[in-house]
Amino acid sequence: MSGSATSCEECLLIHPSCAWCAQEVRTLNSRCDFSQNLLKRGCNAPFIENPRSGISLLRSKPLSSKGSGVTQYDVIQIYPQKISLSLRPGDQTSFEVQVRPVEDYPVDLYYLMDLSLSMKDDLDTIRNLGTKLAEEMRKLTSNFRLGFGSFVDKNISPFSYTAPKYQDNPYKLFPNCVPTFGFRHLLSLTDKVDRFNEEVQKQMVSRNRDAPEGGFDAILQAAVCKEKIGWRKEAYHLLVFATDDVPHLALDGRLGGLVYPHDGQCHLNDKNEYSAANKMDYPSLALLGEKLAENNIFLIFAVTKRHYVLYKNLTALIPGTTVEILDQDSKNIIQLIVNAYNNIRSKVELSVWDHPEDLNLAFTATCQDGQPLTGLRKCADLKIGDTVSFNVTVDARGCPPKGTSKSFTIRPVGFKDHLEVSVDYRCDCSCTDFTQTNSSRCNSAGTYSCGMCGCEPGHLGARCECEEGEVNHQYLSACREAEGKQVCSGRGECSCNQCLCYESEFGKIYGTFCECDDFSCARHKGILCSGHGECHCGECKCHAGYIGDNCNCSTETTSCVSDDGKICSGRGSCVCGRCQCTEPGAFGDTCEKCPTCPDACGTKRECIECRLFNSGRLADNQTCQRMCKDEIITVETLKTDDSNTVQCVYKTENDCVMKFTYSEHASGQSVLTALKEPECAVAPDAKTVLLAVVGSILLMGIVLLALWKLVITIHDRREFARFQSARSRKSDACDSYHIMIWCSTNISYYYKC
């Protein structure tokens, strides 16, 4: 490939390892080669052009540890703050960005509330919100300000009731119902929270016609009307959006005849009301995300459980947003805001602004565990004061026009701090400063530059010694790459012992023997090098972040990161941006589903604990909703006869037994069926135990007495029978003795005896 270079600039573009020799050396077959080869062939080092990419620190103030006690402009949360890059195309260079969220940083919170009729009970609940919220937030920051605004919808049909009878009160059954309005800014950000309570207590609900609300109009105005809202540059900006229904989106306004797209500008009048509600369409998600990021605003969706999934999907499309479940009467609003704030403060995510199209950026995050995560630009589950670092690799794909300089900005989402990166391109060779026109070295028929002659039209040769059309058949072999091959590879003409390559409608043919082109490379879906590389002499040279013969394989791993922060849930490997599951039974986009894996029950146990009982590791880290998206069904009695489910049992902290089953629905969603309450052994009643013990003792005593009585009775009867028998024998003996005495005294009977 290096032999195809006809100038120093072309040589530098071929590969970052290529160097150019600007010295006149006869032993050089090609001036474009590796530096060590040029040195071996006699080119002196000062004449070798081989610029390298580099980085210069322009501003690098150290990171701060606290936000209070110092001037807010001196608080530094990103390091460095400004750098300069000098890039040679293809020569990657890297730099490190460190981010540390400081303690006790100021917070501006703007509460944006839906005042449609269905939110009446919520309005009653938050009438003293300011005081209680300020107390909780001051536990997290000593510098807290609060503001308030409200919205309903556009006051045109079909979004609202427009008949004359509804102009003063759109709901006659409710006397305190005010006319429909788009957005009202009611209280600028202030540290006087009593004013918030006073303003809320003045408010009354209104009514619109359809279910969706005009909340996105209100969000955009709250974001872009910085002066009227009172957003401080040196503070966290939190925008709480409280509603019980879905929002209108861009193009919905056409139903009411609003064909002009939103211009993204502030349109608050002297009464602090949105004046363009009936003139422009609702803003798009892209516009909303752009303006929120532009003004460093974290958006918190506080929505009812019924619409949680919809808003959860929106957070994936709007950077810097989070969603929390709001109770029907907003009773949990304070804890919701505190949880959302802690969740926001526990994450750091880098965003890139004004990214030049010809630059490739690759990120590697090193979070609190110290393990590098390739392809990630986000760290979660951080504590205030933790420092995280990101390695950023930059690669220029080509050279812009001479004199062009570009820049981009790296900014943590929601932070005012940012890193400015200026870029200049090292595409020129210093030897061009000594260019000679009509040089004698070129027979006065060309320009001598960087050791070569650039011949004028009609002249050819290394020293412009030939005129076009001259052919010496004796030297045609100089135009063959090897003996037996075609002259100029059949894609050019041999003139003055060198090849003049034909032009092609498909691209450029080049090389000493016209052997190379920029269109005969592998394609993917009909696209040369998949659109992620450049074709050089039949081989794809992939841009940073892509590999493979046709550059169709991405090295990005962001799409492979599961909710727990692991690559492919630890059950597979990321290949070309997609997970290939290696654990038997694992499946899903990030191998997150695996009913038969040994750790399946353990993983789902954490979801059961945090979703049903608000306990466990995930509940403590405020990551339950992010990591546990499974459907959970509670039952009184658990069926265990289904062969398609995994039976799980674990022991709770209270020594109870919790049972649940884990299965995968046909739609791909994980389904957990659990008992409503753990099975616990019931403690016996003390009185019952006492009575049972006493009763048992009495019963045993009676039984023993009965046995004793039975034994005595039997014994007595036996003794009595023995006595009777003995008595009977004694009586007979006595009778015989008495007869003998009588006979002896009565001689007349003696002989009878």
Side-chain angles (χ1 to χ4, degrees):
M1 290 175 60
S2 63
S4 65
T6 58
S7 67
C8 180
E9 287 78 6
E10 284 187 20
C11 176
L12 299 185
L13 284 174
I14 291 174
H15 193 273
S17 299
C18 292
W20 179 269
C21 179
Q23 184 180 0
E24 290 189 57
V25 182
R26 294 185 178 181
T27 56
L28 286 178
N29 295 326
S30 172
R31 293 185 176 276
C32 188
D33 205 335
F34 294 113
S35 295
Q36 59 268 30
N37 292 344
L38 295 177
L39 289 170
K40 289 178 182 178
R41 292 169 186 164
C43 187
N44 295 327
F47 293 94
I48 295 177
E49 298 281 347
N50 188 20
R52 312 308 304 170
S53 297
I55 176 174
S56 301
L57 289 177
L58 302 181
R59 188 164 62 248
S60 55
K61 295 181 180 180
L63 294 169
S64 304
S65 58
K66 284 193 175 183
S68 61
V70 294
T71 305
Q72 295 300 332
Y73 290 101
D74 294 334
V75 176
I76 305 297
Q77 299 183 93
I78 189 171
Y79 175 90
Q81 297 82 46
K82 188 174 183 179
I83 63 174
S84 174
L85 300 179
S86 295
L87 299 179
R88 174 181 172 178
D91 186 23
Q92 296 182 352
T93 188
S94 300
F95 58 90
E96 187 177 82
V97 180
Q98 294 182 342
V99 182
R100 179 194 295 163
V102 300
E103 298 179 18
D104 199 20
Y105 199 70
V107 175
D108 288 345
L109 189 150
Y110 192 79
Y111 193 86
L112 186 57
M113 184 174 182
D114 176 5
L115 283 188
S116 58
L117 192 60
S118 58
M119 293 286 284
K120 181 183 180 303
D121 55 344
D122 301 75
L123 180 61
D124 295 336
T125 300
I126 71 161
R127 293 196 186 277
N128 295 312
L129 172 67
T131 305
K132 297 177 182 177
L133 180 59
E135 290 175 358
E136 291 296 323
M137 290 300 295
R138 286 194 175 114
K139 296 177 183 177
L140 306 172
T141 175
S142 61
N143 194 339
F144 174 68
R145 299 199 310 167
L146 189 61
F148 182 62
S150 61
F151 67 92
V152 182
D153 207 345
K154 297 181 183 293
N155 192 16
I156 58 174
S157 181
F159 312 118
S160 301
Y161 293 94
T162 57
K165 64 179 180 178
Y166 295 119
Q167 291 304 303
D168 295 328
N169 185 342
Y171 192 49
K172 300 300 182 183
L173 298 179
F174 192 75
N176 296 324
C177 192
V178 299
T180 307
F181 60 92
F183 165 63
R184 285 177 182 165
H185 167 52
L186 301 168
L187 177 67
S188 297
L189 292 162
T190 177
D191 56 2
K192 298 178 175 61
V193 295
D194 291 339
R195 290 191 57 198
F196 180 91
N197 296 338
E198 293 171 4
E199 201 61 49
V200 172
Q201 289 170 6
K202 297 177 186 177
Q203 302 310 308
M204 293 184 290
V205 295
S206 183
R207 186 190 185 195
N208 59 328
R209 190 169 192 169
D210 59 352
E213 320 289 6
F216 279 10
D217 269 342
I219 291 175
L220 190 103
Q221 292 304 299
V224 299
C225 299
K226 296 178 288 187
E227 290 76 16
K228 292 199 173 186
I229 301 297
W231 298 115
R232 293 176 291 181
K233 289 184 178 180
E234 46 302 317
Y236 278 114
H237 301 159
L238 305 183
L239 178 56
V240 179
F241 178 79
T243 184
D244 64 348
D245 222 315
V246 298
H248 276 298
L249 302 175
L251 301 182
D252 286 357
R254 298 195 176 189
L255 297 173
L258 304 178
V259 297
Y260 293 104
H262 205 291
D263 60 4
Q265 302 300 315
C266 177
H267 293 283
L268 292 185
N269 57 24
D270 295 338
K271 296 180 180 179
N272 284 332
E273 294 185 352
Y274 179 39
S275 59
N278 300 341
K279 299 177 182 178
M280 291 187 294
D281 194 5
Y282 299 96
S284 65
L285 291 176
L287 179 62
L288 204 62
E290 176 188 337
K291 294 303 177 182
L292 289 171
E294 187 178 295
N295 295 285
N296 305 321
I297 295 175
F298 288 108
L299 177 61
I300 302 171
F301 289 123
V303 299
T304 52
K305 189 174 183 179
R306 185 161 57 104
H307 302 296
Y308 174 81
V309 175
L310 169 68
Y311 283 94
K312 184 68 175 176
N313 293 334
L314 291 180
T315 61
L317 303 173
I318 307 175
T321 58
T322 185
V323 59
E324 299 286 343
I325 296 178
L326 182 70
D327 288 348
Q328 289 294 336
D329 54 1
S330 295
K331 285 184 178 179
N332 68 329
I333 186 63
I334 294 178
Q335 189 59 43
L336 180 152
I337 293 173
V338 172
N339 290 346
Y341 174 75
N342 288 331
N343 187 28
I344 289 170
R345 292 280 276 156
S346 69
K347 295 186 294 188
V348 171
E349 181 177 3
L350 297 186
S351 61
V352 181
W353 289 70
D354 304 321
H355 184 180
E357 293 183 358
D358 60 346
L359 293 185
N360 292 322
L361 298 181
F363 291 82
T364 298
T366 303
C367 302
Q368 67 274 25
D369 59 359
Q371 297 296 321
L373 300 172
T374 305
L376 282 186
R377 59 173 77 178
K378 176 180 178 180
C379 287
D381 297 332
L382 304 177
K383 296 178 181 177
I384 301 301
D386 283 349
T387 302
V388 294
S389 62
F390 301 86
N391 184 273
V392 185
T393 301
V394 188
D395 175 28
R397 295 197 295 267
C399 288
K402 289 187 178 182
T404 300
S405 61
K406 297 184 179 181
S407 64
F408 61 93
T409 302
I410 295 177
R411 174 184 294 171
V413 174
F415 287 60
K416 75 173 182 65
D417 303 73
H418 60 273
L419 168 61
E420 298 177 25
V421 183
S422 59
V423 182
D424 63 79
Y425 298 81
R426 308 198 68 177
C427 297
D428 299 328
C429 299
S430 59
C431 57
T432 56
D433 296 338
F434 306 99
T435 299
Q436 300 174 4
T437 57
N438 296 321
S439 172
S440 59
R441 296 177 180 178
C442 304
N443 293 300
S444 300
T447 300
Y448 182 80
S449 178
C450 296
M452 292 188 67
C453 286
C455 301
E456 294 177 357
H459 292 79
L460 300 170
R463 292 288 178 264
C464 306
E465 68 275 15
C466 296
E467 292 187 8
E468 194 170 332
E470 292 182 10
V471 180
N472 190 336
H473 294 283
Q474 184 179 356
Y475 298 104
L476 279 180
S477 59
C479 295
R480 302 179 192 271
E481 187 174 6
E483 187 66 31
K485 288 198 172 183
Q486 289 182 299
V487 174
C488 298
S489 303
R491 303 199 294 180
E493 294 179 352
C494 185
S495 181
C496 196
N497 303 330
Q498 69 181 42
C499 288
L500 299 178
C501 302
Y502 297 141
E503 293 184 358
S504 172
E505 59 180 319
F506 301 110
K508 179 183 177 181
I509 300 174
Y510 59 93
T512 304
F513 307 103
C514 302
E515 74 279 12
C516 294
D517 61 59
D518 61 2
F519 52 83
S520 298
C521 288
R523 298 172 182 263
H524 179 65
K525 295 183 178 179
I527 302 175
L528 189 68
C529 299
S530 305
H532 302 305
E534 309 295 336
C535 182
H536 286 291
C537 203
E539 182 180 354
C540 285
K541 296 297 178 182
C542 303
H543 299 156
Y546 291 91
I547 57 175
D549 293 339
N550 54 12
C551 303
N552 69 324
C553 183
S554 172
T555 59
E556 275 284 330
T557 59
T558 306
S559 58
C560 295
V561 178
S562 55
D563 290 333
D564 59 2
K566 297 179 180 178
I567 299 294
C568 300
S569 304
R571 299 174 181 141
S573 56
C574 190
V575 179
C576 297
R578 301 185 66 181
C579 280
Q580 291 187 358
C581 305
T582 55
E583 182 81 20
F587 64 100
D589 292 339
T590 58
C591 305
E592 74 282 6
K593 303 179 187 299
C594 187
T596 59
C597 289
D599 62 340
C601 287
T603 303
K604 299 305 177 183
R605 168 187 172 174
E606 295 176 346
C607 292
I608 292 288
E609 288 179 341
C610 77
R611 290 274 294 277
L612 294 186
F613 309 115
N614 195 30
S615 64
R617 180 181 64 84
L618 300 186
D620 294 338
N621 294 334
Q622 303 295 328
T623 55
C624 181
Q625 295 296 339
R626 176 173 62 86
M627 294 183 62
C628 299
K629 302 174 183 178
D630 307 329
E631 179 184 357
I632 298 181
I633 303 172
T634 55
V635 295
E636 295 287 351
T637 305
L638 197 64
K639 295 181 179 179
T640 59
D641 55 352
D642 190 351
S643 59
N644 295 322
T645 62
V646 178
Q647 314 298 325
C648 299
V649 180
Y650 69 90
K651 196 173 185 179
T652 67
E653 296 177 355
N654 301 324
D655 290 332
C656 298
V657 175
M658 185 62 188
K659 298 179 180 179
F660 66 94
T661 62
Y662 169 29
S663 61
E664 295 293 340
H665 193 268
S667 63
Q669 185 177 20
S670 300
V671 180
L672 306 179
T673 305
L675 293 174
K676 286 186 177 180
E677 296 292 340
E679 295 178 348
C680 300
V682 180
D685 182 63
K687 187 181 292 185
T688 304
V689 172
L690 181 61
L691 291 175
V693 171
V694 173
S696 299
I697 293 173
L698 288 174
L699 180 61
M700 290 178 64
I702 292 171
V703 171
L704 290 174
L705 286 173
L707 290 173
W708 179 79
K709 181 64 177 175
L710 178 61
V711 171
I712 293 300
T713 301
I714 295 173
H715 179 269
D716 286 349
R717 287 184 178 181
R718 287 179 177 176
E719 287 295 323
F720 181 74
R722 193 180 296 114
F723 170 75
Q724 286 289 79
S725 176
R727 181 181 179 184
S728 175
R729 290 194 301 271
K730 184 177 180 181
S731 177
D732 292 343
C734 287
D735 288 346
S736 299
Y737 175 72
H738 290 150
I739 291 171
M740 289 175 66
I741 295 296
W742 183 78
C743 286
S744 63
T745 58
N746 296 280
I747 195 66
S748 58
Y749 290 96
Y750 176 76
Y751 296 106
K752 291 181 179 179
C753 294

